[in-house]
Amino acid sequence: MKRVLLPVGLPGSGKSTEVQKLVKKASQEGKLALVCSTDDFFVNAQGVYDFNPRKLTENHALNFQKFCLALADGIELVVVDNTNLRAEHRAPYIKMAKALGYKVELPIIGEFTDSAAETYAKRNLHGVPLEGIKRMANAVDLPTSEEIG
């Protein structure tokens, strides 16, 4: 069965590490897998992550386009490696996946507590400060059965 995964987690919670494991496992099973991450569109020509908030909307659109093309190509496992914290951000991905016959999974990675935020602030790769991670934790929409069903 073709699957789409939208892991829900804060920066530094271990989403990308978990995604890498899933993609490796799929590859070992001979399945095609693709990761779609908006972060990839912030990597400059020198290979350095260079976040520019003015490009956020554009880069999310580019990531969604990559995602849609992957589904149209029939990639067996497509993972959206964004934070996926808000239901309205997940909705277009879920709608497209369901329309093309994919099973959608929304695994929760990590926790959304102040204590977890402190840990994640120390280890996230993009330098998101503690206060930013706490704001994200307080604004998270945990997945509902309606999103998947």
Side-chain angles (χ1 to χ4, degrees):
M1 163 157 255
K2 297 185 291 185
R3 299 184 306 152
V4 163
L5 295 177
L6 290 106
V8 177
L10 296 167
S13 64
K15 289 181 314 304
S16 296
T17 300
E18 198 60 36
V19 164
Q20 290 169 0
K21 290 178 189 175
L22 292 168
V23 169
K24 182 178 180 181
K25 182 178 182 222
S27 178
Q28 290 170 340
E29 294 172 353
K31 297 177 182 173
L32 293 174
L34 182 72
V35 176
C36 299
S37 174
T38 300
D39 282 341
D40 291 345
F41 295 95
F42 288 103
V43 176
N44 66 26
Q46 292 75 36
V48 176
Y49 182 78
D50 183 18
F51 181 75
N52 179 344
R54 286 184 229 123
K55 291 194 166 229
L56 192 56
T57 300
E58 174 187 348
N59 289 350
H60 272 298
L62 289 169
N63 193 55
F64 185 68
Q65 179 181 32
K66 177 181 177 180
F67 171 81
C68 292
L69 291 171
L71 299 187
D73 286 344
I75 303 292
E76 295 166 278
L77 173 64
V78 182
V79 184
V80 180
D81 188 18
N82 295 340
T83 58
N84 300 309
L85 296 173
R86 305 288 301 162
E88 66 264 23
H89 297 159
R90 298 186 298 260
Y93 291 96
I94 293 169
K95 184 176 180 179
M96 183 61 70
K98 288 180 179 179
L100 293 175
Y102 279 75
K103 179 182 178 193
V104 175
E105 298 174 25
L106 298 159
I108 297 171
I109 309 295
E111 300 175 0
F112 301 93
T113 63
D114 283 352
S115 174
E118 290 177 20
T119 299
Y120 303 158
K122 293 174 187 168
R123 72 177 186 203
N124 81 83
L125 299 177
H126 301 307
V128 180
L130 176 58
E131 290 309 312
I133 293 176
K134 284 183 177 181
R135 273 194 306 277
M136 290 178 189
N138 290 327
V140 68
D141 294 323
L142 292 175
T144 64
S145 57
E146 290 82 31
E147 282 185 280
I148 302 169

